[in-house]
Amino acid sequence: MTVTIADSASRAADVLSRPVTINGLTVPNRIAMAPMTRMFSPNGVPGEDVASYYARRAAAGVGLIITEGTYVGHPSAGGSSRVPRFHGEEQLAGWAKVAEAVHEAGGRIVPQLWHIGMVRQEGQGPFPEAPAVGPSGLRIDGTEAGRTMTQKDIDDVIAAFAEAAAAAERIGFDGVELHGAHGYLIDQFLWAGTNRRTDAYGGDPVARATFAAEIVAAVREAVSPGFPVIFRYSQWKQEAYDARLAETPEELEAVLAPISAAGVDAFHASQRRYWVPEFEGTDLNLAGWTKKLTGKPAITVGSVGLDGEFIEAFQGTGAALGSIDNLLDRLERDEFDVVAVGRALLQDPEWAAKVLSGRFDELTPYDAASLKTLS
C-alpha cells in the first residue's frame, strides 16, 4: 500500500488532536509548548509582549503552554533580572495577565517554577548579595562555590515552591511544573555528582530524592486536590551531557517512586533527542520508561520536528526540518501522552496549526535568530 502525504497529514491530525487529562485538567490535544528561557521580563515582570508571545501559540493550537522557568521567592533562586519571577505583587500581576491572554486564546497554561541553585554566579541579579546554594556547595564540574544548604535553607526553598504554586492557582493558572532537570537545584540533590550529603537528603537514590519529594508534597498540600502538579527531570545536566541519574530501569524507578508518591500528576522527561532509547534492550525513550515505571502520564521532549539538537541553538546554529513519523508511532502506542515542542515553536508560532491541519509544506527550518526576538 502506498502512503501519501495526505495519509500522513490525516494521521498527524488524528494522533495529535486527542484530548488528554492530567488530574483535574483536560488538555485539548497532545501538543505542549516546551519551557524556554527568553529573558524578556525586566525586573522579573512579564509584560504585554510576553502575554502575546504565549497567547499566539495557544491561538494556533498548542494545547498546553509550559512557561519559561520563573524564579520562586528565594533570594538565591535566580541569576538574571530579566528572567521572570513568580513572587512579588508586580510580577504576579504580570503573570495573571499572561494566564488570562492564553485562556482567551483557547489554551491551557502552567508556570515552570525554578531555583537554579549552584548554577548561580556571584553578584548576579536579581539579588546580587545572595550566595549560590546547593546540597553540597558543588557546581556540576565538581568545583566548590557558594555554600551547602542548611536545614533552614531547605525549609525556606520548599516553602518558596509551595507559595509559588498556591499563587499560580490563585491568579488563574491551570497547574504548575516543578523544574527538577538540567543540573538546577532540585536536580543537584538528585544527582550523586553534586549531592555528597550524609543526612536524610543524601546517600542512595531514594535518599537523594527526598528534597524533591518534600517539595512535591508541600506543593500538593498548598493547592487544591484537582490542580495538576507536573515534575520535569532529566538524566543530562548543563556542562555534563553524559551525566545520568540512573543506569538501569531499576535505578530510575528508585529515583522516581518517592517523587511520584508525594503527589506528582505527570512527569516531563527531558531528552536532547526524543527518539533515542534510554536503556539497552528496548526502544522506549525516557518518557516511555517514566510512564511504564510510575503509571503516571508522561510528556516527552527533545528536537521534535527538527534534525539538530537544541544545544546547538544557543551556539547560533540552525536546524533543518525533521520527520515526526517516529513521534506519531510512539504516541499511537501510548509510549507517552504529550509531546513538548521547543525550537520549532520559537521559529513558527503557527507550528501546531500547520501540523494539525497537514500543512507540512509551510513549515520552515529553525533559524537561531529567532532567539533574539519575542515574536
Side-chain angles (χ1 to χ4, degrees):
M1 185 179 75
T2 301
V3 178
T4 67
I5 293 176
D7 292 331
S8 296
S10 175
R11 179 183 177 224
D14 289 344
V15 173
L16 293 169
S17 293
R18 298 172 297 160
V20 61
T21 298
I22 301 174
N23 196 345
L25 174 67
T26 297
V27 179
N29 60 46
R30 302 304 176 104
I31 301 174
M33 181 177 184
M36 293 171 283
T37 299
R38 301 310 314 278
M39 301 182 73
F40 283 89
S41 298
N43 198 33
V45 180
E48 292 182 5
D49 55 345
V50 175
S52 297
Y53 162 75
Y54 288 121
R56 275 192 292 275
R57 275 79 183 166
V62 174
L64 179 64
I65 301 290
I66 306 173
T67 77
E68 62 204 286
T70 178
Y71 301 145
V72 297
H74 184 263
S76 299
S80 170
S81 296
R82 294 188 57 82
V83 168
R85 306 203 292 270
F86 217 84
H87 61 97
E89 183 176 350
E90 189 178 5
Q91 287 80 8
L92 291 177
W95 276 120
K97 293 177 181 177
V98 173
E100 181 181 11
V102 168
H103 290 153
E104 287 179 350
R108 311 289 187 271
I109 182 168
V110 301
Q112 187 189 70
L113 306 180
W114 191 22
H115 192 304
I116 70 173
M118 293 302 301
V119 175
R120 176 177 168 77
Q121 300 292 328
E122 183 178 357
Q124 287 183 324
F127 304 104
E129 302 304 317
V133 297
S136 302
L138 297 175
R139 299 199 187 281
I140 297 297
D141 63 4
T143 58
E144 295 184 13
R147 63 179 175 82
T148 298
M149 293 173 72
T150 65
Q151 185 63 54
K152 183 180 185 305
D153 293 326
I154 289 172
D155 293 343
D156 288 347
V157 170
I158 291 172
F161 273 95
E163 289 164 7
E169 184 171 26
R170 185 175 68 249
I171 65 177
F173 279 81
D174 299 298
V176 293
E177 176 171 282
L178 310 178
H179 196 344
H182 305 165
Y184 296 113
L185 181 63
I186 295 176
D187 194 22
Q188 289 161 23
F189 273 85
L190 293 175
W191 189 45
T194 43
N195 184 347
R196 309 289 177 81
R197 299 179 74 98
T198 57
D199 62 4
Y201 296 95
D204 64 20
V206 174
R208 295 198 303 272
T210 299
F211 179 65
E214 289 186 355
I215 289 176
V216 171
V219 165
R220 182 77 274 160
E221 186 175 351
V223 299
S224 62
F227 193 69
V229 177
I230 303 168
F231 188 88
R232 194 182 208 209
Y233 83 100
S234 66
Q235 296 263 41
W236 65 274
K237 325 295 175 197
Q238 284 195 97
E239 303 172 12
Y241 299 147
D242 58 349
R244 297 176 66 80
L245 297 178
E247 295 294 343
T248 65
E250 292 75 19
E251 290 178 359
L252 184 61
E253 185 174 23
V255 174
L256 297 181
I259 301 172
S260 179
V264 167
D265 297 302
F267 283 92
H268 186 174
S270 178
Q271 287 185 267
R272 293 160 64 196
R273 302 174 297 275
Y274 77 86
W275 56 86
V276 175
E278 192 55 41
F279 301 112
E280 292 184 4
T282 171
D283 67 350
L284 283 180
N285 74 0
L286 186 61
W289 273 110
T290 300
K291 182 176 181 178
K292 181 176 181 177
L293 293 171
T294 67
K296 301 289 178 72
I299 302 170
T300 197
V301 70
S303 303
V304 172
L306 300 173
D307 72 352
E309 292 184 18
F310 74 93
I311 298 298
E312 298 170 346
F314 297 99
Q315 300 168 345
T317 303
L321 294 173
S323 170
I324 62 168
D325 287 341
N326 181 272
L327 178 75
L328 298 177
D329 291 343
R330 292 168 184 267
L331 278 168
E332 280 186 323
R333 61 179 182 254
D334 293 322
E335 180 176 335
F336 39 74
D337 302 277
V338 177
V339 53
V341 182
R343 288 169 297 152
L345 272 172
L346 281 188
Q347 176 68 31
D348 186 358
E350 299 285 324
W351 186 90
K354 292 174 182 177
V355 170
L356 290 170
S357 61
R359 292 181 286 145
F360 293 101
D361 59 330
E362 297 180 24
L363 298 175
T364 56
Y366 172 74
D367 184 342
S370 62
L371 279 173
K372 299 177 181 179
T373 62
L374 204 64
S375 62

